[in-house]
Amino acid sequence: MALINIGKYKGRPLSEMKTSYIMWLVSNDHIRFARWPLVLDLLAELQQRFYNYDCLISELTMSEPANEFWKSPELDKRRQAEKVEKLKLLELRRISEKPAR
């Protein structure tokens, strides 16, 4: 059983990866160039999944829209905190660069 050695599934078997993630990995030019042996394992996993059509369809079927991870309250809060921190740093720099009168 092959283990994935990169990404969010690092250290886990290929069989635990989502099919959409495997397809994304093998479609990524950089990963295909840098990690061809891994890509071959991923393609073999996809081949097995494509033989089990019903399981593949049940995994890939979407019953509701995907989360818009870029619009989450947590992300908004983090972005606001980052903006405040940048403004503080800019203000400190402005004060330090201000010529003395």
Side-chain angles (χ1 to χ4, degrees):
M1 173 175 31
L3 298 178
I4 186 78
N5 58 4
I6 62 170
K8 67 181 186 178
Y9 289 94
K10 188 174 185 174
R12 293 167 61 187
L14 297 180
S15 60
E16 291 183 12
M17 296 175 69
K18 290 184 176 182
T19 301
S20 58
Y21 188 66
I22 295 174
M23 291 189 298
W24 176 82
L25 283 172
V26 300
S27 68
N28 187 304
D29 292 340
H30 175 72
I31 292 171
R32 281 199 322 270
F33 175 76
R35 300 184 183 265
W36 184 247
L38 170 64
V39 171
L40 289 174
D41 289 341
L42 293 169
L43 290 170
E45 178 68 26
L46 279 176
Q47 184 179 27
Q48 289 178 359
R49 292 182 187 196
F50 286 146
Y51 281 127
N52 192 342
Y53 183 77
D54 293 332
C55 285
L56 185 64
I57 291 298
S58 68
E59 181 186 346
L60 295 177
T61 301
M62 302 276 299
S63 59
E64 57 188 51
N67 291 333
E68 295 178 333
F69 64 90
W70 60 88
K71 293 185 179 181
S72 71
E74 297 83 18
L75 187 57
D76 289 342
K77 193 180 289 186
R78 191 181 86 212
R79 284 183 179 151
Q80 184 62 30
E82 289 171 356
K83 189 184 287 186
V84 167
E85 187 61 31
K86 282 182 182 179
L87 288 173
K88 284 180 185 177
L89 292 172
L90 284 171
E91 182 63 15
L92 288 172
R93 191 174 91 199
R94 186 187 65 77
I95 290 171
S96 70
E97 292 175 355
K98 187 176 182 180
R101 291 183 186 209

